[in-house]
Structures are given as C-alpha cells and as structure tokens.
Amino acid sequence: MNPVDILRLLSLAAIWGASFLFMRIIAPVIGTIPTAFFRVSIAFVGLLVILALMRIDWNFRGKLKIVMVLGLINSGIPATFYSLAAQVLPAGYSAIFNATTPLMGVLIGALFFSEKLTMTKVSGVFLGLFGVGILTGAGPVAFDLQLLMGALSCLLATTCYGFAGFLARRWLDHQGGLDSRLAALGSMFGATVLLLPLFGYSVISHPPASWGGWSVWLSLLGLGLVCTALAYILYFRLLSSIGPVKSMTVTFLIPPFGVLWGALLLDEPLGMAHLYGGVLIAAALWLVLKPAASATKEPLPGQRN
C-alpha cells in the first residue's frame, strides 16, 4: 500500500474505534433505542447530503428494498445491540469483541452458505473464542451477569455483520452490482425506518430521565456523521483502492484504538487481559483472513462497528 492508503486505513481504524467511545458516552444517558436510532438517522441524513454534493446517479437498479432489508441486518440491529452493550461495557471491551466479526463470518458461511471450512479457519475460530473468554473472565471489569449480557450483545451484533456480508454478496453482486455508496445510503434508510417506530414507543413508554447536555449531542453528531457516514465513504474508497482483503486489515487496528480512546478520554481501566485477549483474537483473525493461494481475490466477510 502507498502512504496515502496507509493513512486512510489508520484514519478509518481510529474513527471506528472512537464509535465505541461515543456510544459509551451516549447510551447510559439517553438509552439503547434512542442511541441506535439517532446514530443511523443522522448517518442517513449525512450520507444523503454527501452523495447529493457528489452528484451521483440515484439509480438503485430496483434493489432499494433489498438494500433496506440489508440495512436492518447490517446497521439497525447491530447498532441496537452495541448501544445496549455500551450501557455496561467499557469502550475497549466492545471494540475488541467487534473484532470477532470475521470469526462469525466463517462459522455462518460454513453453516448456512456452503463455504469451505478449513482446519486453519477452524483453529482461528476456536482461538478467537478463547481470547474472548480470557477478556470476559479475567479483564479489569467485574465478571457478573451484566458483563455477560454486554458480551453477548456484542457477539450478536457481529453475528448480524457476518450474515450481512454473505447476503450482500448474494443479493447485490448479480446483474452488475450496485454502487456501494448507494448501498450504504439505502442501508441507513432501512435501519432508520426500522428503528423509527421502536424509538417512538421507547420515548412514550420509557422516556429517558435526561436527554443529556452538549457533550451527549456532540457525541451523537460524531457517531452519526463521522463514525458512520464519513467512515462508510472512507471504507468504500479503500475498497476500490486496495481491494477487500487488504481493507480487512482494519479489523486488527480497531481494538487498539478503541482501548486507547476509552483509557485516555473515559479513564477506563486497563489490564493484562486486554493484551492477552487482544493478541489471541488478532492471531485468530490472521488465521481466518489469510487467503488461500487459489482464493486471494475472493471477497471475505466484512466487519463493521
């Protein structure tokens, strides 16, 4: 990769790592559903403005409904699970758990999409789960039911990402595919439509005790505009420049940034479990993402945050 692409990769990792910081600030104040709804709706508006300024061709090729359904799986549901986790988990924990997305992709591909499961990938999955176990059981946060529920929420979110990667390949790649920028916009629109009634019900039945101050709303803008809308544009630029396999290495870089932002800005505790669990998950990702000699051009299940 040239220096510009390396800078883009590091910037994307730093931005996506910061998303867990923002959610940790927002979710405990305004709640799970409002956090998820504002994230995807602000991102939708941001993408709408960005793509309008770019003067792209608004041709969804009859795939708008499909993209909206993908948005439920790829954005709306994971955003909700991560917002739930943010109420009980440090930002660094969620960032590390997010790195299990390719591991979930391997399992889902083998179970539901007839993907070949090699011994290398099986070893990577078990090694990654072992790393998750170490982080959960031996980390600086007390091991209790809340921690387990937060970890489970993160893993359910990464499971959604795993399914979305295969469904996007199956539904969108045929008949010439779809402009990835329009796919991102349609996904955020679908997620917004899904969460709108849930948001309305949540506000009526369980209104937040407080809607927070300027720090919460600045964090929401950062989460929606920077960590979601801008990040999607940056990610798609990387995909076109260096391809899906090299772009996947952002997975390795998000956890260190997530842990770093949490420690620096939220005074979250650090422990050796961060190192041990993170290294094991990184090694697992290397085993899972390492392309076979005959499949270096095959797209792999992607990761989000």
Side-chain angles (χ1 to χ4, degrees), residues 47 51 54 56 178-186 233 236:
L47 282 169
L51 299 191
M54 295 174 69
I56 69 166
L178 178 67
D179 188 319
S180 56
R181 296 167 296 181
L182 288 177
L185 178 67
I233 299 297
F236 293 140

Side-chain angles (χ1 to χ4, degrees), residues 134-135 138-140 269-279:
I134 287 180
L135 179 64
L270 293 176
M272 291 305 294
H274 280 102
L275 177 62
Y276 298 147
V279 167

Side-chain angles (χ1 to χ4, degrees), residues 6 13-14 26 30 107 110 128 146 152 167 171 220 233 249 261 276 288 300:
I6 293 175
I26 301 163
I30 68 174
L107 290 176
Q146 277 196 331
L152 179 60
L167 292 175
W171 292 349
L220 273 170
I233 299 297
T249 57
W261 298 143
Y276 298 147
V288 168
L300 298 171

